[in-house]
Amino acid sequence: MTHASYPALRLRRTRAAAWTRALHAENRLHPSDLIWPLFVTEGQGEEEPISSLPGVSRWSVDGIVARAREARDAGIPCLALFPNTQADRRSDDGEEALNPDNLMCRAIRAIKDAVPDIGILTDVALDPYTAHGQDGLLDEQGYVINDATIDVLIGQSLNQAAAGADIIAPSDMMDGRVGAIREALEEEGHANVQIMAYAAKYASAFYGPFRDAVGSSGLLKGDKKSYQMDPANSEEALREVALDLAEGADSVMVKPGLPYLDIIARVKDRFEVPVFAYQVSGEYAMIEAAVAAGVGNRDALVLETLLAFKRAGCSGVLTYHALHAARLLGA
Ligand SMILES: NCC(=O)CCC(=O)O
Ligand SMILES: [Mg+2]
């Protein structure tokens, strides 16, 4: 096959006007690509702005329901919920995660009641419930114990599924938890509840504002490097994904987002399964800081970064900019 070359071939020809750029676009962002993470707090009529996440607040359950209506109206298909558990309900074993009337379950039921046609993804990990801010149970040396933690995560998952969660998203990075949760969901009659595995979750410096949002930043001692992945590694990410898929994950997530686009592309290429990215709190905060400093345009930064995830191979993105982006895109 012979290929034309300049001047017969000019790649700028198809870029010359908006109509032809639209015609040749290889990827498109749509409101249905977005999952909106929301933070729930106790009370009624409460809005608590999160200073490290400008523009993001914790809402009491009534406010979460109002946000769910906005999301649905903007064409967002799914919400991700995170609780800011009261201090006196946090404990070393995180048992509040198993309470059928905890904040998370009340929020799930209220949304399902008022906005039944939106999906609800729930995070499975103990950090919003533990007094030490780690994602699991600790031994005497402060090491997160894998297998004992899984037993609690199974209970947490079943509790969320019983309340109406549609997608269980284990973010804890324990080995073997996807298979254990899948088996328990099947046994308890939740065959259609999906699992989106946080398969490649890196021990990242980009999670700081999230820990403020769920109230664990002041509690956490040390780091999460004994269970979350080393940012140096990518072969290991493929092994993590392979295991979670073998254990029954319906979809996998890479987290954080933009610094790990190479991982997303490799996972998509290797496994050809639905891949999601979490554009995390620190990434959101960087965009907002750039806007506040007058060195970037919010709308353009938001749409370009989200489109980059689609180009890398994502089916969708969890982003705190979801409502803003969906409205820009127009449902
Ligand atoms: N398990 C959920 C998270 O850890 C979110 C992190 C972030 O947004 O920084
Ligand atoms: Mg794993």
Side-chain angles (χ1 to χ4, degrees):
M1 197 159 76
T2 55
H3 293 281
S5 61
Y6 173 85
L9 182 65
R10 295 174 186 266
L11 290 178
R12 290 186 56 196
R13 222 176 263 138
T14 54
R15 294 179 206 144
W19 68 265
T20 172
R21 289 191 291 272
L23 196 61
H24 289 86
E26 295 175 38
N27 293 283
R28 258 182 201 91
L29 191 62
H30 187 267
S32 64
D33 297 320
L34 305 172
I35 298 176
W36 190 19
L38 291 169
F39 298 105
V40 198
T41 198
E42 288 291 348
Q44 175 75 25
E46 294 290 335
E47 177 182 358
E48 301 167 357
I50 302 155
S51 58
S52 56
L53 276 177
V56 178
S57 295
R58 302 182 200 101
W59 301 91
S60 49
V61 169
D62 55 306
I64 289 289
V65 169
R67 302 290 81 71
R69 287 202 178 89
E70 290 173 344
R72 178 202 51 202
D73 294 347
I76 294 172
C78 188
L79 305 174
L81 298 181
F82 298 95
N84 178 33
T85 306
Q86 290 167 258
D88 63 359
R89 291 190 170 266
R90 295 179 198 236
S91 58
D92 282 346
D93 60 7
E95 68 174 352
E96 178 65 5
L98 307 178
N99 173 4
D101 278 318
N102 68 22
L103 188 54
M104 188 77 149
C105 292
R106 281 180 276 132
I108 297 168
R109 286 195 292 266
I111 297 168
K112 281 288 156 190
D113 209 37
V115 195
D117 45 354
I118 199 158
I120 301 180
L121 176 152
T122 54
D123 202 79
V124 169
L126 298 183
D127 52 323
Y129 305 96
T130 52
H132 45 69
Q134 293 286 356
D135 292 17
L137 306 178
L138 305 184
D139 70 10
E140 255 118 63
Q141 283 74 46
Y143 183 77
V144 176
I145 317 165
N146 195 84
D147 300 11
T149 295
I150 290 180
D151 291 338
V152 189
L153 300 178
I154 291 171
Q156 181 181 21
S157 303
L158 292 175
N159 193 32
Q160 294 172 350
D166 299 293
I167 306 178
I168 300 293
S171 71
D172 54 286
M173 290 298 280
M174 298 302 109
D175 287 320
R177 88 289 202 212
V178 169
I181 292 169
R182 183 72 265 162
E183 193 180 316
L185 289 171
E186 298 296 318
E187 276 169 11
E188 297 298 319
H190 301 296
N192 278 336
V193 172
Q194 301 174 34
I195 296 179
M196 182 188 292
Y198 285 77
K201 178 174 181 178
Y202 286 86
S204 171
F206 286 93
Y207 303 148
F210 174 88
R211 290 177 189 161
D212 295 337
V214 298
S216 69
S217 53
L219 305 172
L220 183 66
K221 287 171 205 71
D223 56 45
K224 301 190 177 184
K225 291 179 183 173
S226 81
Y227 45 107
Q228 297 178 354
M229 279 186 55
D230 183 343
N233 296 352
S234 52
E235 296 299 337
E236 190 188 2
L238 300 179
R239 298 181 75 192
E240 285 282 6
V241 168
L243 281 171
D244 286 357
L245 291 171
E247 290 175 29
D250 299 284
S251 55
V252 294
M253 194 201 293
V254 173
K255 177 181 169 194
L258 279 193
Y260 297 87
L261 286 182
D262 59 320
I263 306 299
I264 294 166
R266 288 192 74 184
V267 168
K268 186 66 187 179
D269 196 45
R270 173 80 60 97
F271 298 100
E272 300 179 320
V273 296
V275 182
F276 291 81
Y278 201 138
Q279 187 178 44
V280 300
S281 58
E283 298 178 71
Y284 173 95
M286 282 201 313
I287 291 176
E288 290 302 314
V291 173
V295 296
N297 174 288
R298 178 183 290 112
D299 296 356
L301 289 169
V302 167
L303 294 180
E304 182 179 333
T305 56
L306 293 175
L307 182 61
F309 292 110
K310 294 294 300 284
R311 193 190 62 239
C314 281
S315 298
V317 189
L318 291 88
T319 173
Y320 302 99
H321 279 121
L323 185 65
H324 184 66
R327 286 176 172 167
L328 286 176
L329 295 163

